[in-house]
Amino acid sequence: MTTPIARQAIDEAIVPAIDDKPQIDHVETYEVEGKHVNHDIVTKSSFEDLPWKKTWVVFRKTALMCIFASFSAAADGFQISMTSNIVANKGFIQTYGTTINAKTGGPALASNILAAWGGIQSAGQGIGMLTQHFVADRLGRKAAFYTLWVSLLIAVALESFGRNWKTWLCAKLFSGFGVGSVQFMTGMYMTELAPAKIRGFLLIFYSAWYGIGQLCSSVALKVMNDKHPFNYLTPIYTEWAMLGLMAIVYFFIPESPFWCANTGRHDQGRAIIKRLNGGIEGYDVDYHYDIIKQSVEKEKSYQKEIDGESHGFIQELRNVKEVFIGVNGFRTLIAFWPACVQQIGGLAVLSSYSSYFAQQAGFGDPFLFSLLLALVAIVCTLVEASLIDLIGRRSLFLIGACTVWVMCMVVGGLGLMANRSSAVNKLVLVFSLFWRLGSTLLGNLGWAYIAEAGSSRLRAKTAGIAAAGGVCLGLVFNTSVPYMLNAANGGANWGLKTAFFFAGISTPFLVASFFLIPDTSRRTAAELDEMFRKKIRPWRFRSYVTDAQKALNEERERNGTM
Protein backbone atom coordinates (compact mmCIF):
# COMPACT_ATOMS: atom_id res chain seq x y z
CA MET A 1 0.00 0.00 0.00
CA THR A 2 1.10 3.58 -0.55
CA THR A 3 2.35 5.79 2.23
CA PRO A 4 -0.07 8.37 3.73
CA ILE A 5 1.99 11.27 2.34
CA ALA A 6 2.07 9.79 -1.15
CA ARG A 7 -1.64 8.92 -1.03
CA GLN A 8 -2.52 12.45 0.07
CA ALA A 9 -0.38 13.92 -2.72
CA ILE A 10 -2.14 11.75 -5.28
CA ASP A 11 -5.60 12.64 -3.99
CA GLU A 12 -4.88 16.38 -3.93
CA ALA A 13 -2.75 16.78 -7.05
CA ILE A 14 -4.03 14.18 -9.50
CA VAL A 15 -7.51 14.16 -10.93
CA PRO A 16 -8.74 12.57 -14.16
CA ALA A 17 -7.17 14.23 -17.16
CA ILE A 18 -9.25 16.70 -19.08
CA ASP A 19 -10.39 15.81 -22.57
CA ASP A 20 -7.45 15.60 -24.92
CA LYS A 21 -9.12 18.09 -27.28
CA PRO A 22 -8.11 21.63 -26.35
CA GLN A 23 -11.08 23.94 -25.68
CA ILE A 24 -9.96 27.43 -26.65
CA ASP A 25 -12.53 30.21 -27.05
CA HIS A 26 -10.07 32.91 -27.99
CA VAL A 27 -6.51 32.67 -29.19
CA GLU A 28 -4.40 35.76 -29.59
CA THR A 29 -1.42 35.38 -31.90
CA TYR A 30 1.33 37.49 -33.34
CA GLU A 31 4.14 36.80 -35.73
CA VAL A 32 7.89 36.61 -35.25
CA GLU A 33 9.44 36.69 -38.71
CA GLY A 34 6.50 34.83 -40.23
CA LYS A 35 6.03 32.30 -37.45
CA HIS A 36 2.82 32.26 -35.42
CA VAL A 37 3.34 32.62 -31.68
CA ASN A 38 0.36 31.68 -29.51
CA HIS A 39 -0.30 33.34 -26.16
CA ASP A 40 -2.68 30.66 -24.85
CA ILE A 41 -0.58 27.65 -25.93
CA VAL A 42 3.17 27.87 -25.50
CA THR A 43 4.64 27.09 -28.92
CA LYS A 44 6.67 23.97 -29.57
CA SER A 45 9.45 24.26 -32.12
CA SER A 46 9.53 21.83 -35.03
CA PHE A 47 13.22 21.29 -34.16
CA GLU A 48 12.02 19.42 -31.04
CA ASP A 49 10.55 16.71 -33.28
CA LEU A 50 13.79 15.89 -35.07
CA PRO A 51 14.91 12.23 -34.84
CA TRP A 52 17.28 11.44 -31.97
CA LYS A 53 20.39 11.05 -34.15
CA LYS A 54 19.64 14.16 -36.19
CA THR A 55 19.12 16.16 -33.00
CA TRP A 56 22.69 15.29 -32.03
CA VAL A 57 24.00 16.47 -35.38
CA VAL A 58 21.97 19.68 -35.54
CA PHE A 59 22.47 20.70 -31.90
CA ARG A 60 26.01 19.34 -31.55
CA LYS A 61 27.35 22.66 -30.24
CA THR A 62 24.78 22.82 -27.44
CA ALA A 63 25.28 19.13 -26.66
CA LEU A 64 29.04 19.61 -26.42
CA MET A 65 28.53 22.58 -24.10
CA CYS A 66 26.34 20.43 -21.83
CA ILE A 67 28.96 17.67 -21.84
CA PHE A 68 31.62 20.25 -21.01
CA ALA A 69 29.49 21.53 -18.11
CA SER A 70 29.07 17.97 -16.86
CA PHE A 71 32.86 17.58 -16.43
CA SER A 72 32.41 19.20 -13.02
CA ALA A 73 30.62 16.01 -11.93
CA ALA A 74 33.92 14.12 -12.18
CA ALA A 75 35.40 16.43 -9.56
CA ASP A 76 32.26 16.00 -7.48
CA GLY A 77 32.44 12.19 -7.60
CA PHE A 78 36.18 12.24 -6.93
CA GLN A 79 35.72 14.48 -3.88
CA ILE A 80 32.91 12.55 -2.22
CA SER A 81 34.46 9.13 -2.93
CA MET A 82 37.88 10.20 -1.68
CA THR A 83 36.65 11.55 1.63
CA SER A 84 34.32 8.57 2.16
CA ASN A 85 36.73 5.72 1.41
CA ILE A 86 39.98 7.12 2.73
CA VAL A 87 38.75 6.24 6.24
CA ALA A 88 40.04 2.69 5.61
CA ASN A 89 43.61 3.90 4.92
CA LYS A 90 46.06 2.87 7.65
CA GLY A 91 47.79 6.22 7.70
CA PHE A 92 44.48 8.03 7.98
CA ILE A 93 43.40 5.77 10.84
CA GLN A 94 46.73 6.35 12.57
CA THR A 95 46.31 10.14 12.28
CA TYR A 96 42.61 10.44 13.11
CA GLY A 97 42.01 7.36 15.26
CA THR A 98 40.77 8.17 18.77
CA THR A 99 40.10 4.68 20.11
CA ILE A 100 41.87 1.31 20.31
CA ASN A 101 41.18 -1.66 18.07
CA ALA A 102 40.48 -4.60 20.42
CA LYS A 103 41.93 -7.14 17.97
CA THR A 104 45.14 -5.40 16.89
CA GLY A 105 45.77 -3.05 19.79
CA GLY A 106 46.34 -0.21 17.30
CA PRO A 107 44.37 2.99 16.74
CA ALA A 108 40.84 2.84 15.36
CA LEU A 109 38.16 5.28 14.22
CA ALA A 110 35.35 5.59 16.73
CA SER A 111 31.83 4.95 15.42
CA ASN A 112 30.56 8.22 16.88
CA ILE A 113 33.23 10.20 14.97
CA LEU A 114 32.49 8.32 11.74
CA ALA A 115 28.82 9.08 12.26
CA ALA A 116 29.60 12.76 12.93
CA TRP A 117 31.63 13.00 9.71
CA GLY A 118 28.89 11.40 7.65
CA GLY A 119 26.22 13.49 9.31
CA ILE A 120 27.98 16.83 8.92
CA GLN A 121 28.63 16.15 5.24
CA SER A 122 24.94 15.45 4.68
CA ALA A 123 24.11 18.59 6.66
CA GLY A 124 26.45 20.59 4.43
CA GLN A 125 24.77 19.15 1.33
CA GLY A 126 21.38 20.14 2.70
CA ILE A 127 22.54 23.68 3.48
CA GLY A 128 23.90 24.07 -0.05
CA MET A 129 20.72 22.80 -1.64
CA LEU A 130 18.47 24.98 0.51
CA THR A 131 20.44 28.19 -0.05
CA GLN A 132 22.08 28.00 -3.47
CA HIS A 133 18.79 28.24 -5.35
CA PHE A 134 18.44 31.81 -4.01
CA VAL A 135 21.86 32.65 -5.45
CA ALA A 136 21.02 30.89 -8.73
CA ASP A 137 17.70 32.74 -9.08
CA ARG A 138 18.87 36.21 -8.07
CA LEU A 139 22.48 36.38 -9.30
CA GLY A 140 22.51 33.71 -12.00
CA ARG A 141 23.56 30.10 -12.47
CA LYS A 142 27.21 31.01 -13.01
CA ALA A 143 27.35 33.00 -9.75
CA ALA A 144 26.03 29.93 -7.91
CA PHE A 145 28.71 27.77 -9.55
CA TYR A 146 31.44 30.17 -8.41
CA THR A 147 30.05 30.10 -4.84
CA LEU A 148 30.14 26.32 -4.58
CA TRP A 149 33.67 26.26 -6.05
CA VAL A 150 34.94 28.50 -3.23
CA SER A 151 33.34 26.14 -0.70
CA LEU A 152 35.16 23.15 -2.21
CA LEU A 153 38.41 25.13 -2.18
CA ILE A 154 38.08 25.65 1.58
CA ALA A 155 37.26 21.95 2.08
CA VAL A 156 40.32 20.70 0.19
CA ALA A 157 42.56 23.14 2.07
CA LEU A 158 41.28 21.82 5.41
CA GLU A 159 41.73 18.20 4.28
CA SER A 160 45.28 18.91 3.08
CA PHE A 161 46.57 20.73 6.15
CA GLY A 162 44.38 19.51 9.03
CA ARG A 163 45.50 16.74 11.38
CA ASN A 164 42.66 16.64 13.91
CA TRP A 165 39.28 14.91 13.58
CA LYS A 166 37.54 18.24 14.26
CA THR A 167 39.37 19.83 11.31
CA TRP A 168 38.19 16.94 9.14
CA LEU A 169 34.69 17.59 10.48
CA CYS A 170 34.85 21.20 9.23
CA ALA A 171 36.20 20.00 5.89
CA LYS A 172 33.25 17.64 5.59
CA LEU A 173 30.86 20.55 6.15
CA PHE A 174 32.34 22.69 3.36
CA SER A 175 32.76 19.64 1.12
CA GLY A 176 29.12 18.73 1.65
CA PHE A 177 28.00 22.27 0.80
CA GLY A 178 29.98 22.27 -2.45
CA VAL A 179 29.11 18.71 -3.45
CA GLY A 180 25.42 19.18 -2.72
CA SER A 181 25.33 22.38 -4.74
CA VAL A 182 27.10 20.75 -7.71
CA GLN A 183 24.67 17.85 -7.66
CA PHE A 184 21.44 19.78 -8.09
CA MET A 185 22.84 22.82 -9.93
CA THR A 186 24.56 21.02 -12.80
CA GLY A 187 21.60 18.89 -13.84
CA MET A 188 19.25 21.87 -13.59
CA TYR A 189 21.60 23.99 -15.70
CA MET A 190 21.92 21.30 -18.37
CA THR A 191 18.12 20.92 -18.50
CA GLU A 192 17.83 24.61 -19.35
CA LEU A 193 20.27 24.27 -22.25
CA ALA A 194 19.74 20.79 -23.71
CA PRO A 195 17.23 19.91 -26.48
CA ALA A 196 14.42 17.74 -25.06
CA LYS A 197 15.12 14.79 -27.40
CA ILE A 198 18.65 14.23 -26.04
CA ARG A 199 18.25 15.74 -22.59
CA GLY A 200 17.94 12.36 -20.87
CA PHE A 201 21.19 11.08 -22.36
CA LEU A 202 23.03 14.25 -21.36
CA LEU A 203 21.72 14.12 -17.79
CA ILE A 204 22.80 10.50 -17.41
CA PHE A 205 26.11 11.33 -19.07
CA TYR A 206 26.57 13.85 -16.27
CA SER A 207 26.11 10.96 -13.83
CA ALA A 208 28.66 8.96 -15.81
CA TRP A 209 31.26 11.65 -15.15
CA TYR A 210 30.34 11.42 -11.47
CA GLY A 211 31.03 7.67 -11.61
CA ILE A 212 34.30 8.22 -13.47
CA GLY A 213 35.37 10.60 -10.72
CA GLN A 214 34.55 7.94 -8.13
CA LEU A 215 36.48 5.35 -10.14
CA CYS A 216 39.56 7.59 -10.37
CA SER A 217 39.38 8.16 -6.64
CA SER A 218 39.09 4.42 -5.95
CA VAL A 219 42.05 3.64 -8.25
CA ALA A 220 44.19 6.31 -6.57
CA LEU A 221 43.37 4.96 -3.14
CA LYS A 222 43.93 1.34 -4.23
CA VAL A 223 47.35 2.09 -5.77
CA MET A 224 48.47 4.18 -2.82
CA ASN A 225 47.23 1.60 -0.31
CA ASP A 226 49.18 -1.17 -2.05
CA LYS A 227 52.43 0.78 -2.38
CA HIS A 228 52.32 3.19 0.56
CA PRO A 229 49.60 2.05 2.99
CA PHE A 230 50.35 4.84 5.48
CA ASN A 231 50.33 7.68 2.93
CA TYR A 232 46.88 9.22 2.77
CA LEU A 233 47.91 12.79 1.91
CA THR A 234 48.98 12.21 -1.71
CA PRO A 235 45.48 11.09 -2.81
CA ILE A 236 44.03 14.14 -1.06
CA TYR A 237 46.43 16.45 -2.88
CA THR A 238 45.04 15.19 -6.21
CA GLU A 239 41.79 16.98 -5.35
CA TRP A 240 43.50 20.29 -6.21
CA ALA A 241 43.66 19.20 -9.85
CA MET A 242 39.93 18.54 -9.80
CA LEU A 243 39.32 22.05 -8.48
CA GLY A 244 41.32 23.44 -11.39
CA LEU A 245 39.16 21.48 -13.84
CA MET A 246 36.00 22.88 -12.26
CA ALA A 247 37.32 26.46 -12.46
CA ILE A 248 37.93 26.09 -16.22
CA VAL A 249 34.43 24.67 -16.78
CA TYR A 250 32.65 27.40 -14.81
CA PHE A 251 34.58 30.16 -16.56
CA PHE A 252 33.71 29.09 -20.10
CA ILE A 253 30.08 27.90 -19.85
CA PRO A 254 27.38 30.50 -20.70
CA GLU A 255 24.61 31.76 -18.45
CA SER A 256 21.24 30.01 -18.65
CA PRO A 257 18.79 31.59 -21.16
CA PHE A 258 15.91 30.60 -18.84
CA TRP A 259 17.45 32.71 -16.07
CA CYS A 260 17.85 35.62 -18.49
CA ALA A 261 14.20 35.34 -19.51
CA ASN A 262 13.09 35.11 -15.88
CA THR A 263 15.03 38.26 -14.88
CA GLY A 264 14.28 40.38 -17.95
CA ARG A 265 17.78 40.17 -19.46
CA HIS A 266 16.38 39.41 -22.90
CA ASP A 267 19.27 40.76 -24.97
CA GLN A 268 21.69 38.56 -23.02
CA GLY A 269 19.36 35.58 -23.40
CA ARG A 270 19.11 36.00 -27.16
CA ALA A 271 22.90 36.36 -27.37
CA ILE A 272 23.32 33.04 -25.53
CA ILE A 273 20.86 31.27 -27.85
CA LYS A 274 22.70 32.75 -30.84
CA ARG A 275 26.06 31.61 -29.43
CA LEU A 276 24.78 28.04 -29.03
CA ASN A 277 22.42 27.58 -31.99
CA GLY A 278 22.83 30.62 -34.24
CA GLY A 279 24.62 28.72 -36.99
CA ILE A 280 21.87 26.13 -37.51
CA GLU A 281 20.17 26.36 -40.89
CA GLY A 282 16.56 27.57 -40.56
CA TYR A 283 16.92 28.27 -36.85
CA ASP A 284 15.30 31.59 -35.82
CA VAL A 285 17.01 32.85 -32.64
CA ASP A 286 14.27 35.38 -31.76
CA TYR A 287 11.49 32.84 -32.28
CA HIS A 288 13.14 30.16 -30.13
CA TYR A 289 14.08 32.58 -27.38
CA ASP A 290 10.48 33.78 -27.38
CA ILE A 291 9.33 30.19 -26.65
CA ILE A 292 11.50 30.24 -23.50
CA LYS A 293 10.18 33.69 -22.62
CA GLN A 294 6.57 32.50 -23.06
CA SER A 295 7.14 29.51 -20.77
CA VAL A 296 8.57 31.68 -18.02
CA GLU A 297 5.93 34.40 -18.35
CA LYS A 298 3.07 31.89 -18.31
CA GLU A 299 4.39 30.42 -15.06
CA LYS A 300 4.84 33.93 -13.64
CA SER A 301 1.19 34.66 -14.31
CA TYR A 302 0.20 31.69 -12.15
CA GLN A 303 2.52 32.92 -9.39
CA LYS A 304 0.87 36.35 -9.43
CA GLU A 305 -2.53 34.72 -9.02
CA ILE A 306 -1.25 33.03 -5.84
CA ASP A 307 1.03 35.63 -4.26
CA GLY A 308 0.55 38.87 -6.20
CA GLU A 309 3.45 40.98 -7.39
CA SER A 310 6.90 40.12 -6.06
CA HIS A 311 8.41 42.65 -3.64
CA GLY A 312 12.06 41.71 -3.35
CA PHE A 313 14.00 39.05 -1.50
CA ILE A 314 11.75 38.88 1.59
CA GLN A 315 8.75 38.20 -0.61
CA GLU A 316 10.80 35.57 -2.45
CA LEU A 317 11.52 33.84 0.87
CA ARG A 318 7.81 33.78 1.65
CA ASN A 319 7.01 32.46 -1.79
CA VAL A 320 9.13 29.34 -1.20
CA LYS A 321 5.93 27.84 0.20
CA GLU A 322 4.70 27.63 -3.40
CA VAL A 323 6.85 24.57 -4.06
CA PHE A 324 4.99 22.70 -1.29
CA ILE A 325 1.38 23.34 -2.31
CA GLY A 326 -0.92 22.31 -5.15
CA VAL A 327 0.51 21.22 -8.47
CA ASN A 328 3.96 22.60 -7.66
CA GLY A 329 3.90 20.64 -4.40
CA PHE A 330 3.23 17.47 -6.38
CA ARG A 331 6.09 18.33 -8.74
CA THR A 332 8.40 18.75 -5.74
CA LEU A 333 7.28 15.36 -4.40
CA ILE A 334 8.12 13.73 -7.74
CA ALA A 335 11.51 15.45 -7.83
CA PHE A 336 12.20 14.19 -4.30
CA TRP A 337 10.85 10.65 -4.71
CA PRO A 338 13.76 8.95 -6.57
CA ALA A 339 16.31 10.28 -4.06
CA CYS A 340 14.03 9.12 -1.25
CA VAL A 341 13.73 5.59 -2.65
CA GLN A 342 17.48 5.41 -3.26
CA GLN A 343 18.29 6.47 0.31
CA ILE A 344 15.88 4.04 1.95
CA GLY A 345 17.21 1.35 -0.36
CA GLY A 346 20.55 1.40 1.48
CA LEU A 347 22.59 3.96 -0.44
CA ALA A 348 24.71 4.79 2.62
CA VAL A 349 25.86 1.18 2.95
CA LEU A 350 27.30 1.09 -0.58
CA SER A 351 28.56 4.68 -0.85
CA SER A 352 29.56 6.50 2.32
CA TYR A 353 30.49 3.27 4.12
CA SER A 354 31.31 0.91 1.26
CA SER A 355 34.82 0.10 2.50
CA TYR A 356 33.50 -0.25 6.05
CA PHE A 357 30.73 -2.58 4.83
CA ALA A 358 33.36 -4.62 2.96
CA GLN A 359 35.28 -5.19 6.18
CA GLN A 360 32.11 -6.26 7.99
CA ALA A 361 31.23 -8.62 5.12
CA GLY A 362 34.59 -10.35 5.32
CA PHE A 363 36.20 -9.04 2.13
CA GLY A 364 39.98 -9.04 2.34
CA ASP A 365 40.48 -5.85 0.31
CA PRO A 366 37.92 -3.10 0.99
CA PHE A 367 39.53 -0.80 -1.58
CA LEU A 368 39.07 -3.43 -4.29
CA PHE A 369 35.40 -3.68 -3.30
CA SER A 370 35.02 0.11 -3.65
CA LEU A 371 36.73 -0.07 -7.04
CA LEU A 372 34.33 -2.79 -8.24
CA LEU A 373 31.35 -0.75 -7.05
CA ALA A 374 32.62 2.24 -9.03
CA LEU A 375 33.09 0.11 -12.17
CA VAL A 376 29.57 -1.30 -11.88
CA ALA A 377 28.20 2.22 -11.46
CA ILE A 378 29.96 3.45 -14.61
CA VAL A 379 28.87 0.49 -16.77
CA CYS A 380 25.31 0.82 -15.48
CA THR A 381 25.31 4.56 -16.20
CA LEU A 382 26.55 4.13 -19.78
CA VAL A 383 23.90 1.50 -20.51
CA GLU A 384 21.25 3.66 -18.86
CA ALA A 385 22.28 6.67 -20.96
CA SER A 386 21.67 4.70 -24.15
CA LEU A 387 18.22 3.55 -22.97
CA ILE A 388 16.76 6.49 -21.07
CA ASP A 389 15.33 8.35 -24.08
CA LEU A 390 14.29 5.09 -25.74
CA ILE A 391 12.30 3.30 -23.01
CA GLY A 392 11.79 6.27 -20.71
CA ARG A 393 12.52 7.38 -17.14
CA ARG A 394 9.59 5.61 -15.49
CA SER A 395 10.42 2.09 -16.73
CA LEU A 396 14.08 2.38 -15.74
CA PHE A 397 13.15 3.75 -12.33
CA LEU A 398 10.80 0.87 -11.54
CA ILE A 399 13.43 -1.66 -12.68
CA GLY A 400 16.00 -0.06 -10.38
CA ALA A 401 13.65 0.11 -7.39
CA CYS A 402 12.67 -3.55 -7.72
CA THR A 403 16.31 -4.62 -8.12
CA VAL A 404 17.36 -2.80 -4.95
CA TRP A 405 14.56 -4.37 -2.91
CA VAL A 406 15.31 -7.90 -4.11
CA MET A 407 19.06 -7.55 -3.50
CA CYS A 408 18.45 -6.21 0.02
CA MET A 409 16.45 -9.33 0.79
CA VAL A 410 19.13 -11.62 -0.69
CA VAL A 411 22.11 -9.96 1.05
CA GLY A 412 20.20 -9.86 4.33
CA GLY A 413 19.40 -13.56 3.94
CA LEU A 414 23.07 -14.42 3.42
CA GLY A 415 23.81 -12.47 6.59
CA LEU A 416 21.78 -15.01 8.56
CA MET A 417 24.41 -17.65 7.85
CA ALA A 418 26.88 -18.20 10.69
CA ASN A 419 30.60 -18.71 9.89
CA ARG A 420 30.27 -17.84 6.23
CA SER A 421 32.76 -19.51 3.89
CA SER A 422 34.82 -17.65 1.32
CA ALA A 423 32.44 -18.92 -1.37
CA VAL A 424 29.48 -17.35 0.44
CA ASN A 425 31.41 -14.10 0.85
CA LYS A 426 31.95 -14.08 -2.92
CA LEU A 427 28.21 -14.49 -3.39
CA VAL A 428 27.68 -11.53 -1.08
CA LEU A 429 30.07 -9.56 -3.28
CA VAL A 430 28.14 -10.44 -6.45
CA PHE A 431 24.74 -9.57 -4.98
CA SER A 432 26.15 -6.37 -3.50
CA LEU A 433 27.24 -5.36 -6.98
CA PHE A 434 23.70 -5.95 -8.28
CA TRP A 435 22.45 -3.95 -5.31
CA ARG A 436 24.74 -1.12 -6.39
CA LEU A 437 23.50 -1.47 -9.98
CA GLY A 438 19.90 -0.87 -8.93
CA SER A 439 20.90 1.97 -6.63
CA THR A 440 22.86 3.60 -9.45
CA LEU A 441 19.81 3.46 -11.71
CA LEU A 442 17.78 5.25 -9.04
CA GLY A 443 20.52 7.79 -8.32
CA ASN A 444 21.03 8.76 -11.96
CA LEU A 445 17.30 9.07 -12.55
CA GLY A 446 16.97 10.98 -9.30
CA TRP A 447 19.11 13.81 -10.64
CA ALA A 448 17.17 13.74 -13.93
CA TYR A 449 13.85 14.10 -12.11
CA ILE A 450 15.25 16.81 -9.83
CA ALA A 451 16.38 18.75 -12.90
CA GLU A 452 13.18 18.25 -14.93
CA ALA A 453 10.24 18.07 -12.50
CA GLY A 454 10.13 21.73 -11.47
CA SER A 455 8.24 24.36 -13.46
CA SER A 456 10.06 26.74 -15.79
CA ARG A 457 9.92 29.49 -13.15
CA LEU A 458 10.52 27.40 -10.01
CA ARG A 459 13.08 24.94 -11.38
CA ALA A 460 15.96 26.06 -9.13
CA LYS A 461 13.84 26.14 -5.97
CA THR A 462 12.17 22.81 -6.70
CA ALA A 463 15.52 21.18 -7.53
CA GLY A 464 17.25 22.54 -4.43
CA ILE A 465 14.48 21.67 -1.98
CA ALA A 466 13.86 18.21 -3.46
CA ALA A 467 17.57 17.42 -3.39
CA ALA A 468 17.77 18.69 0.19
CA GLY A 469 14.97 16.31 1.13
CA GLY A 470 17.06 13.40 -0.12
CA VAL A 471 20.02 14.70 1.84
CA CYS A 472 17.94 14.84 5.02
CA LEU A 473 17.34 11.13 4.62
CA GLY A 474 21.05 10.73 3.89
CA LEU A 475 21.80 12.53 7.14
CA VAL A 476 19.67 10.02 9.03
CA PHE A 477 21.34 6.99 7.47
CA ASN A 478 24.89 8.35 7.35
CA THR A 479 24.74 8.80 11.11
CA SER A 480 22.96 5.51 11.85
CA VAL A 481 24.52 2.97 9.44
CA PRO A 482 27.84 2.74 11.37
CA TYR A 483 25.87 1.73 14.45
CA MET A 484 23.92 -0.84 12.43
CA LEU A 485 27.08 -2.41 11.01
CA ASN A 486 29.41 -2.20 14.00
CA ALA A 487 29.38 -3.57 17.55
CA ALA A 488 31.63 -0.87 19.03
CA ASN A 489 30.21 2.06 21.03
CA GLY A 490 26.87 0.34 21.56
CA GLY A 491 26.30 -0.56 17.89
CA ALA A 492 23.71 -3.15 16.85
CA ASN A 493 26.29 -5.29 15.01
CA TRP A 494 23.77 -6.35 12.34
CA GLY A 495 26.46 -6.74 9.68
CA LEU A 496 24.89 -8.01 6.45
CA LYS A 497 21.48 -8.20 8.15
CA THR A 498 21.42 -4.41 7.88
CA ALA A 499 20.07 -5.05 4.35
CA PHE A 500 16.87 -6.48 5.88
CA PHE A 501 16.22 -3.15 7.57
CA PHE A 502 16.36 -1.30 4.26
CA ALA A 503 14.21 -3.92 2.52
CA GLY A 504 11.54 -3.51 5.17
CA ILE A 505 11.30 0.28 5.16
CA SER A 506 11.49 0.53 1.36
CA THR A 507 8.54 -1.80 0.66
CA PRO A 508 5.69 0.77 0.87
CA PHE A 509 7.75 3.29 -1.09
CA LEU A 510 8.36 0.75 -3.84
CA VAL A 511 4.62 0.14 -4.17
CA ALA A 512 3.85 3.88 -4.15
CA SER A 513 6.36 4.42 -6.97
CA PHE A 514 4.08 2.66 -9.45
CA PHE A 515 1.46 5.37 -8.85
CA LEU A 516 3.70 8.43 -8.47
CA ILE A 517 6.51 8.36 -11.03
CA PRO A 518 5.75 9.91 -14.45
CA ASP A 519 7.81 9.66 -17.64
CA THR A 520 9.28 13.08 -18.45
CA SER A 521 11.25 11.82 -21.46
CA ARG A 522 11.49 13.98 -24.60
CA ARG A 523 9.17 16.67 -23.24
CA THR A 524 9.90 20.38 -23.48
CA ALA A 525 9.60 22.55 -20.39
CA ALA A 526 6.32 23.99 -21.69
CA GLU A 527 4.88 20.50 -22.31
CA LEU A 528 5.76 19.37 -18.79
CA ASP A 529 4.19 22.54 -17.37
CA GLU A 530 1.02 21.79 -19.34
CA MET A 531 0.74 18.14 -18.26
CA PHE A 532 1.30 18.90 -14.60
CA ARG A 533 -1.19 21.79 -14.72
CA LYS A 534 -3.79 19.48 -16.29
CA LYS A 535 -2.99 16.86 -13.64
CA ILE A 536 -2.39 14.03 -16.09
CA ARG A 537 -1.92 10.77 -14.21
CA PRO A 538 1.80 9.86 -13.96
CA TRP A 539 1.50 6.54 -15.79
CA ARG A 540 -0.11 8.32 -18.78
CA PHE A 541 2.62 10.92 -19.33
CA ARG A 542 4.45 8.97 -22.02
CA SER A 543 1.43 8.54 -24.32
CA TYR A 544 -0.23 11.92 -23.71
CA VAL A 545 -0.40 14.35 -26.65
CA THR A 546 0.02 17.93 -25.48
CA ASP A 547 -1.71 21.00 -26.88
CA ALA A 548 1.67 22.28 -28.07
CA GLN A 549 2.20 19.07 -30.07
CA LYS A 550 -1.32 19.26 -31.52
CA ALA A 551 -0.77 22.87 -32.53
CA LEU A 552 2.52 21.91 -34.22
CA ASN A 553 0.84 19.02 -36.04
CA GLU A 554 -1.97 21.29 -37.23
CA GLU A 555 0.54 23.84 -38.51
CA ARG A 556 2.34 21.10 -40.42
CA GLU A 557 -0.94 19.96 -41.95
CA ARG A 558 -1.69 23.51 -43.07
CA ASN A 559 1.78 23.81 -44.57
CA GLY A 560 1.61 20.33 -46.10
CA THR A 561 4.79 19.14 -44.33
CA MET A 562 3.35 16.08 -42.57
Side-chain angles (χ1 to χ4, degrees), residues 460-501:
K461 286 184 175 62
T462 301
I465 290 171
V471 168
C472 288
L473 287 176
L475 177 61
V476 172
F477 295 123
N478 279 332
T479 53
S480 59
V481 163
Y483 293 100
M484 297 180 192
L485 294 172
N486 197 6
N489 300 108
N493 196 28
W494 289 345
L496 297 184
K497 293 189 289 292
T498 301
F500 273 145
F501 169 80

Side-chain angles (χ1 to χ4, degrees), residues 14-20 531 534-537 540 544:
I14 303 179
V15 297
I18 67 170
D19 192 291
D20 285 350
M531 288 191 288
K534 291 182 176 180
K535 301 176 182 178
I536 306 303
R537 294 188 181 277
R540 293 177 179 165
Y544 185 77

Side-chain angles (χ1 to χ4, degrees), residues 321-338:
K321 72 178 187 297
E322 194 179 351
V323 302
F324 297 106
I325 59 177
V327 172
N328 286 319
F330 184 63
R331 297 179 78 156
T332 303
L333 176 64
I334 289 174
F336 161 72
W337 198 257

Side-chain angles (χ1 to χ4, degrees), residues 416-458:
L416 296 174
M417 300 176 63
N419 301 319
R420 296 187 305 273
S421 65
S422 60
V424 173
N425 283 338
K426 290 178 181 178
L427 275 178
V428 173
L429 170 64
V430 171
F431 288 121
S432 295
L433 295 178
F434 277 104
W435 185 3
R436 178 56 181 265
L437 186 149
S439 184
T440 300
L441 276 176
L442 295 178
N444 294 341
L445 289 166
W447 294 116
Y449 276 106
I450 282 173
E452 295 175 333
S455 70
S456 302
R457 179 177 54 86
L458 296 173

Side-chain angles (χ1 to χ4, degrees), residues 478-555:
N478 279 332
T479 53
S480 59
V481 163
Y483 293 100
M484 297 180 192
L485 294 172
N486 197 6
N489 300 108
N493 196 28
W494 289 345
L496 297 184
K497 293 189 289 292
T498 301
F500 273 145
F501 169 80
F502 289 106
I505 64 172
S506 64
T507 300
F509 291 87
L510 172 62
V511 175
S513 297
F514 285 85
F515 302 96
L516 278 175
I517 292 296
D519 194 338
T520 57
S521 304
R522 301 187 176 192
R523 299 292 189 174
T524 66
E527 285 183 299
L528 291 174
D529 289 344
E530 176 189 332
M531 288 191 288
F532 278 112
R533 268 199 311 271
K534 291 182 176 180
K535 301 176 182 178
I536 306 303
R537 294 188 181 277
W539 53 91
R540 293 177 179 165
F541 264 50
R542 187 167 178 83
S543 60
Y544 185 77
V545 181
T546 63
D547 289 346
Q549 184 65 52
K550 291 173 184 176
L552 179 61
N553 292 342
E554 290 173 2
E555 183 180 349

Side-chain angles (χ1 to χ4, degrees), residues 41-54:
I41 300 174
V42 178
T43 311
K44 180 178 180 179
S45 167
S46 59
F47 280 90
E48 297 290 350
D49 273 358
L50 290 174
W52 191 80
K53 290 182 180 179
K54 192 169 184 179

